[in-house]
Every structure is written in structure tokens, then in C-alpha cells.
């Protein structure tokens, strides 16, 4: 909550965290222990960004907007399903089919706050959810699709905070 993201995060002890207001991610270190620039084949990251959605925008509309912004350098991969646990509403899986793409998020692939830099063959799982009445986009990226679609994959490290209605007594 201190950085504007209402979520629970489980960070493995050797992973690194990068955060800004309305953004954070946790990254696996490469063989040298460096999470900033690991060898790309070792790249694994998961995090959350505020969706900046308009009132009434649905989960499907948020994901459609994100996919449209990512453009033709990425293709939808419908043959895999991302588990919808941990409070996520709707998820899609993308794969990078071109080395680099400019998007409204600025850059894509190696995740940086508010943007990405991309390499060919990276899988990106995007999910939406509402946490404390705030719409967020959850993401996970890896060269290994199982890191994203496996129930024990990268997304297990994140869960959204939901507020239940108070119980009235008497």
C-alpha cells in the first residue's frame, strides 16, 4: 500500500524488487546474482501496474487496450490458460514475435517502471484484477511459458487484497 499497490507479495530471498508509485516488480537474479541485467535466457519477472482505467472499464476492456497498445510485435497465445487464482479477473498470454516494439507503455520486455524492452520469444502473462477498489494489471514474463501458465509459476508470488463487506451485528 505504501507505493499505491494494494497486494500481497511473496519475494524469494535472492530476488530483487524494483518499485515506483503505482508500479513494482520482483526479478529473479541471473547466475551472477544480478537482477538488473541477467542473461536474457534467465530473465524472470512478475509485478503489478496501476491500470489507469476509466470508470466502468471492464477487465476485458483493460486487457484489450493493453494488447492493442503492445501492437503487432506480440501475438496472443490462446492455447495456454493462465490460472485465475489469487484474485485475478481475466488473463491473456502474449509472446514477443519481433525483437523490439514501441508501445504506449514506452518499451516492453525487460520491465522497467512504466515501460518495457523486448526480446524475441518472451512470454508475457497479463491479468487484471481489482484490489481495494483499484484496477491493476498483473504481469509475469519469462522465456519459459510454464513459468506463467503453471499454477506454481511466477504469478503465485502475487495476490490481490480484497475488502469484504462488514458484517452487521444485531
Amino acid at each position: 500500500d505504501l507505493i499505491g499497490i494494494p497486494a500481497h507479495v511473496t519475494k524469494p530471498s535472492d530476488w530483487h524488487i524494483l518499485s515506483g508509485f503505482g508500479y513494482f516488480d520482483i526479478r529473479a537474479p541471473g547466475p551472477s546474482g544480478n537482477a538488473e541485467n541477467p542473461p536474457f535466457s534467465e530473465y524472470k519477472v512478475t509485478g503489478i501496474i496501476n491500470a489507469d482505467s476509466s470508470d466502468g472499464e471492464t477487465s476485458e476492456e483493460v486487457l484489450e487496450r493493453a494488447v492493442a497498445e503492445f501492437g503487432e510485435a506480440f501475438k496472443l497465445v490462446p492455447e495456454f490458460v493462465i490460472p485465475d487464482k489469487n484474485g485475478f479477473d481475466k488473463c491473456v498470454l502474449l509472446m514477443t514475435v519481433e525483437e523490439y516494439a514501441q508501445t504506449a507503455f514506452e518499451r516492453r520486455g525487460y520491465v522497467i517502471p512504466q515501460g518495457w524492452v523486448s526480446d524475441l520469444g518472451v512470454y508475457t502473462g497479463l491479468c487484471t484484477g481489482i484490489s481495494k477498489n483499484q484496477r491493476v494489471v498483473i504481469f509475469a514474463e519469462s522465456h519459459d511459458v510454464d513459468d506463467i501458465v503453471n499454477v506454481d509459476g511466477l504469478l503465485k508470488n502475487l495476490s490481490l487484497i480484497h475488502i469484504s463487506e462488514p458484517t452487521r451485528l444485531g
Side-chain angles (χ1 to χ4, degrees), residues 146-167:
D146 287 334
D147 286 338
I148 299 166
V149 300
N150 187 321
V151 76
D152 290 322
L154 294 169
L155 293 172
K156 76 174 183 200
N157 294 315
L158 303 174
S159 61
L160 299 180
I161 296 172
H162 293 282
I163 298 176
S164 57
E165 293 296 318
T167 304

Side-chain angles (χ1 to χ4, degrees), residues 8 13 34 36 42 47 52 107 112 144 155 158 160 162 170:
H8 291 289
S13 62
N34 183 354
E36 293 294 321
E42 301 292 324
D52 295 326
R107 300 186 307 168
I112 57 175
D144 185 350
L155 293 172
L158 303 174
L160 299 180
H162 293 282

Side-chain angles (χ1 to χ4, degrees), residues 14-83:
D14 61 338
W15 285 39
H16 302 275
I17 190 164
L18 179 66
S19 65
F21 189 77
Y23 171 95
F24 77 85
D25 73 46
I26 56 175
R27 305 160 181 238
S32 68
N34 183 354
E36 293 294 321
N37 293 304
F40 201 72
S41 62
E42 301 292 324
Y43 173 72
K44 296 178 191 311
V45 65
T46 187
I48 297 179
I49 301 172
N50 285 336
D52 295 326
S53 61
S54 59
D55 285 344
E57 190 175 30
T58 66
S59 295
E60 290 82 6
E61 290 168 335
V62 169
L63 288 176
E64 286 172 8
R65 178 170 49 91
V67 170
E69 289 173 356
F70 288 150
E72 294 179 7
F74 312 93
K75 72 171 188 171
L76 284 169
V77 185
E79 58 267 23
F80 292 100
V81 176
I82 297 173

